Short mmCIF file of all heavy atoms in Angstrom, two decimals:
data_model
loop_
_atom_site.label_atom_id
_atom_site.label_comp_id
_atom_site.label_asym_id
_atom_site.label_seq_id
_atom_site.Cartn_x
_atom_site.Cartn_y
_atom_site.Cartn_z
N LEU A 89 10.73 -17.35 0.10
CA LEU A 89 10.59 -18.76 -0.52
C LEU A 89 11.85 -19.55 -0.24
O LEU A 89 11.84 -20.61 -0.64
CB LEU A 89 10.39 -18.49 -2.01
CG LEU A 89 9.13 -17.81 -2.46
CD1 LEU A 89 9.04 -17.77 -3.98
CD2 LEU A 89 7.94 -18.51 -1.81
N GLY A 90 12.89 -18.99 0.32
CA GLY A 90 14.10 -19.61 0.55
C GLY A 90 14.81 -20.12 -0.59
O GLY A 90 15.40 -21.29 -0.66
N ILE A 91 14.85 -19.22 -1.64
CA ILE A 91 15.44 -19.50 -2.98
C ILE A 91 16.54 -18.54 -3.18
O ILE A 91 16.63 -17.48 -2.62
CB ILE A 91 14.50 -19.62 -4.13
CG1 ILE A 91 13.76 -18.35 -4.24
CG2 ILE A 91 13.45 -20.75 -3.78
CD1 ILE A 91 12.68 -18.27 -5.50
N SER A 92 17.36 -18.85 -4.14
CA SER A 92 18.51 -17.97 -4.66
C SER A 92 17.87 -16.78 -5.47
O SER A 92 16.88 -16.79 -5.97
CB SER A 92 19.52 -18.74 -5.48
OG SER A 92 18.90 -19.01 -6.77
N ARG A 93 18.79 -15.78 -5.55
CA ARG A 93 18.45 -14.65 -6.30
C ARG A 93 18.22 -14.98 -7.80
O ARG A 93 17.32 -14.60 -8.45
CB ARG A 93 19.66 -13.57 -6.25
CG ARG A 93 19.42 -12.28 -6.99
CD ARG A 93 20.54 -11.36 -6.57
NE ARG A 93 20.73 -10.46 -7.67
CZ ARG A 93 21.79 -10.38 -8.42
NH1 ARG A 93 22.86 -11.15 -8.11
NH2 ARG A 93 22.00 -9.58 -9.46
N HIS A 94 19.15 -15.92 -8.24
CA HIS A 94 18.99 -16.40 -9.63
C HIS A 94 17.58 -17.09 -9.97
O HIS A 94 17.01 -16.87 -10.89
CB HIS A 94 20.17 -17.41 -10.02
CG HIS A 94 20.06 -17.93 -11.37
ND1 HIS A 94 20.42 -17.15 -12.49
CD2 HIS A 94 19.79 -19.04 -11.90
CE1 HIS A 94 20.39 -17.76 -13.48
NE2 HIS A 94 19.94 -18.98 -13.26
N ALA A 95 17.20 -17.91 -8.97
CA ALA A 95 15.91 -18.56 -8.97
C ALA A 95 14.69 -17.64 -9.10
O ALA A 95 13.83 -17.84 -9.70
CB ALA A 95 15.68 -19.57 -7.80
N VAL A 96 14.92 -16.49 -8.30
CA VAL A 96 13.81 -15.40 -8.31
C VAL A 96 13.69 -14.87 -9.80
O VAL A 96 12.63 -14.79 -10.30
CB VAL A 96 14.09 -14.38 -7.35
CG1 VAL A 96 13.21 -13.14 -7.55
CG2 VAL A 96 13.99 -14.87 -5.86
N TYR A 97 14.94 -14.47 -10.27
CA TYR A 97 14.84 -13.94 -11.65
C TYR A 97 14.36 -14.92 -12.63
O TYR A 97 13.71 -14.60 -13.64
CB TYR A 97 16.27 -13.43 -12.01
CG TYR A 97 16.54 -12.11 -11.37
CD1 TYR A 97 17.41 -11.95 -10.31
CD2 TYR A 97 15.76 -10.93 -11.70
CE1 TYR A 97 17.71 -10.78 -9.58
CE2 TYR A 97 16.03 -9.74 -11.02
CZ TYR A 97 17.04 -9.64 -10.06
OH TYR A 97 17.25 -8.50 -9.42
N ASP A 98 14.58 -16.22 -12.49
CA ASP A 98 14.11 -17.26 -13.37
C ASP A 98 12.51 -17.37 -13.35
O ASP A 98 11.92 -17.33 -14.39
CB ASP A 98 14.58 -18.62 -13.15
CG ASP A 98 16.03 -18.78 -13.41
OD1 ASP A 98 16.56 -18.09 -14.30
OD2 ASP A 98 16.59 -19.82 -13.11
N LEU A 99 11.92 -17.18 -12.12
CA LEU A 99 10.49 -17.27 -11.97
C LEU A 99 9.90 -16.05 -12.61
O LEU A 99 8.81 -16.09 -13.26
CB LEU A 99 10.10 -17.22 -10.47
CG LEU A 99 10.41 -18.52 -9.64
CD1 LEU A 99 10.21 -18.24 -8.21
CD2 LEU A 99 9.57 -19.67 -10.20
N LEU A 100 10.49 -14.86 -12.45
CA LEU A 100 9.98 -13.68 -13.11
C LEU A 100 10.09 -13.74 -14.66
O LEU A 100 9.22 -13.36 -15.31
CB LEU A 100 10.72 -12.42 -12.55
CG LEU A 100 10.49 -12.13 -11.05
CD1 LEU A 100 11.53 -11.14 -10.49
CD2 LEU A 100 9.07 -11.66 -10.78
N ALA A 101 11.23 -14.21 -15.15
CA ALA A 101 11.45 -14.32 -16.54
C ALA A 101 10.49 -15.24 -17.24
O ALA A 101 10.02 -15.03 -18.38
CB ALA A 101 12.92 -14.64 -16.88
N GLU A 102 10.26 -16.33 -16.49
CA GLU A 102 9.45 -17.33 -17.06
C GLU A 102 7.88 -17.08 -17.00
O GLU A 102 7.11 -17.90 -17.51
CB GLU A 102 9.72 -18.83 -16.53
CG GLU A 102 11.23 -19.22 -16.84
CD GLU A 102 11.63 -20.37 -15.93
OE1 GLU A 102 10.83 -20.85 -15.09
OE2 GLU A 102 12.79 -20.87 -16.11
N GLY A 103 7.55 -16.08 -16.19
CA GLY A 103 6.13 -15.73 -16.08
C GLY A 103 5.55 -16.56 -14.98
O GLY A 103 4.28 -16.47 -14.77
N GLU A 104 6.32 -17.37 -14.22
CA GLU A 104 5.76 -18.15 -13.07
C GLU A 104 5.22 -17.23 -11.92
O GLU A 104 4.34 -17.59 -11.26
CB GLU A 104 6.83 -19.04 -12.55
CG GLU A 104 7.25 -20.23 -13.34
CD GLU A 104 6.30 -21.44 -13.27
OE1 GLU A 104 5.80 -21.67 -12.17
OE2 GLU A 104 6.17 -22.14 -14.34
N LEU A 105 5.80 -16.12 -11.82
CA LEU A 105 5.48 -15.19 -10.77
C LEU A 105 5.48 -13.74 -11.41
O LEU A 105 6.48 -13.45 -11.98
CB LEU A 105 6.61 -15.29 -9.69
CG LEU A 105 6.26 -14.60 -8.40
CD1 LEU A 105 5.07 -14.96 -7.76
CD2 LEU A 105 7.59 -14.77 -7.47
N GLY A 106 4.35 -13.06 -11.19
CA GLY A 106 4.25 -11.82 -11.66
C GLY A 106 4.95 -10.71 -10.92
O GLY A 106 4.70 -10.70 -9.84
N GLY A 107 5.61 -9.75 -11.69
CA GLY A 107 6.32 -8.71 -10.91
C GLY A 107 6.27 -7.52 -11.85
O GLY A 107 5.96 -7.48 -13.00
N ILE A 108 6.58 -6.42 -11.31
CA ILE A 108 6.66 -5.05 -12.02
C ILE A 108 8.11 -4.74 -12.13
O ILE A 108 8.79 -4.56 -11.05
CB ILE A 108 5.83 -4.04 -11.32
CG1 ILE A 108 4.34 -4.58 -11.12
CG2 ILE A 108 5.89 -2.64 -12.01
CD1 ILE A 108 3.67 -3.89 -9.92
N ARG A 109 8.57 -4.32 -13.20
CA ARG A 109 9.96 -3.87 -13.40
C ARG A 109 9.86 -2.37 -13.39
O ARG A 109 9.31 -1.69 -14.16
CB ARG A 109 10.54 -4.32 -14.72
CG ARG A 109 12.07 -4.04 -14.79
CD ARG A 109 12.68 -4.85 -15.87
NE ARG A 109 14.18 -4.51 -15.78
CZ ARG A 109 15.17 -5.10 -16.45
NH1 ARG A 109 14.68 -6.11 -17.24
NH2 ARG A 109 16.34 -4.78 -16.32
N LEU A 110 10.74 -1.82 -12.42
CA LEU A 110 10.91 -0.38 -12.40
C LEU A 110 12.36 -0.02 -12.50
O LEU A 110 13.14 -0.27 -11.69
CB LEU A 110 10.40 0.09 -10.90
CG LEU A 110 8.99 -0.11 -10.55
CD1 LEU A 110 8.68 0.21 -9.17
CD2 LEU A 110 8.11 0.66 -11.44
N GLY A 111 12.72 0.44 -13.71
CA GLY A 111 14.17 0.62 -14.02
C GLY A 111 14.86 -0.71 -14.04
O GLY A 111 14.41 -1.56 -14.76
N ASN A 112 15.78 -0.86 -13.25
CA ASN A 112 16.55 -2.17 -13.12
C ASN A 112 16.09 -3.10 -11.94
O ASN A 112 16.84 -4.02 -11.63
CB ASN A 112 17.96 -2.01 -13.26
CG ASN A 112 18.57 -1.21 -12.05
OD1 ASN A 112 17.80 -0.74 -11.29
ND2 ASN A 112 19.87 -1.16 -11.86
N ALA A 113 15.08 -2.58 -11.33
CA ALA A 113 14.60 -3.36 -10.09
C ALA A 113 13.28 -3.93 -10.30
O ALA A 113 12.38 -3.48 -11.01
CB ALA A 113 14.73 -2.55 -8.84
N TYR A 114 12.97 -5.06 -9.65
CA TYR A 114 11.63 -5.65 -9.72
C TYR A 114 10.85 -5.39 -8.39
O TYR A 114 11.58 -5.37 -7.26
CB TYR A 114 11.71 -7.22 -9.92
CG TYR A 114 11.87 -7.63 -11.25
CD1 TYR A 114 13.07 -7.78 -11.94
CD2 TYR A 114 10.67 -7.63 -12.15
CE1 TYR A 114 13.18 -8.24 -13.13
CE2 TYR A 114 10.86 -8.06 -13.54
CZ TYR A 114 12.08 -8.30 -14.01
OH TYR A 114 12.30 -8.67 -15.29
N ARG A 115 9.62 -5.19 -8.46
CA ARG A 115 8.67 -5.15 -7.32
C ARG A 115 7.72 -6.18 -7.52
O ARG A 115 7.04 -6.23 -8.60
CB ARG A 115 8.06 -3.82 -7.12
CG ARG A 115 9.14 -2.66 -6.78
CD ARG A 115 9.95 -3.02 -5.51
NE ARG A 115 10.82 -1.93 -5.19
CZ ARG A 115 12.10 -2.07 -5.49
NH1 ARG A 115 12.55 -3.07 -5.98
NH2 ARG A 115 12.92 -1.02 -5.11
N ILE A 116 7.41 -7.02 -6.48
CA ILE A 116 6.41 -8.18 -6.73
C ILE A 116 5.30 -8.05 -5.70
O ILE A 116 5.55 -7.98 -4.46
CB ILE A 116 7.16 -9.49 -6.46
CG1 ILE A 116 8.37 -9.65 -7.37
CG2 ILE A 116 6.21 -10.66 -6.65
CD1 ILE A 116 9.62 -9.35 -6.88
N PRO A 117 4.09 -7.97 -6.19
CA PRO A 117 3.01 -7.94 -5.04
C PRO A 117 2.94 -9.19 -4.35
O PRO A 117 3.11 -10.28 -4.85
CB PRO A 117 1.69 -7.80 -6.18
CG PRO A 117 2.33 -7.21 -7.44
CD PRO A 117 3.59 -7.80 -7.60
N LYS A 118 2.83 -8.98 -3.08
CA LYS A 118 2.74 -10.07 -2.10
C LYS A 118 1.67 -11.04 -2.57
O LYS A 118 1.75 -12.21 -2.39
CB LYS A 118 2.65 -9.65 -0.76
CG LYS A 118 2.77 -10.71 0.18
CD LYS A 118 2.94 -10.19 1.68
CE LYS A 118 1.64 -9.63 2.25
NZ LYS A 118 1.76 -9.39 3.66
#
């Protein structure tokens, strides 16, 4: 997406983009 790490975490936290949290890491279905 050409965005910052912080922006990715914002998208995940806001529910804009669904991901799976495994321990302290996220995995996002393409």
Side-chain angles (χ1 to χ4, degrees):
L89 299 181
I91 60 177
S92 71
R93 185 171 148 246
H94 184 72
V96 170
Y97 284 109
D98 284 347
L99 289 173
L100 292 166
E102 294 167 3
E104 290 272 334
L105 188 59
I108 303 160
R109 188 168 183 167
L110 300 171
N112 64 350
Y114 278 95
R115 297 295 181 261
I116 304 101
K118 187 168 70 172

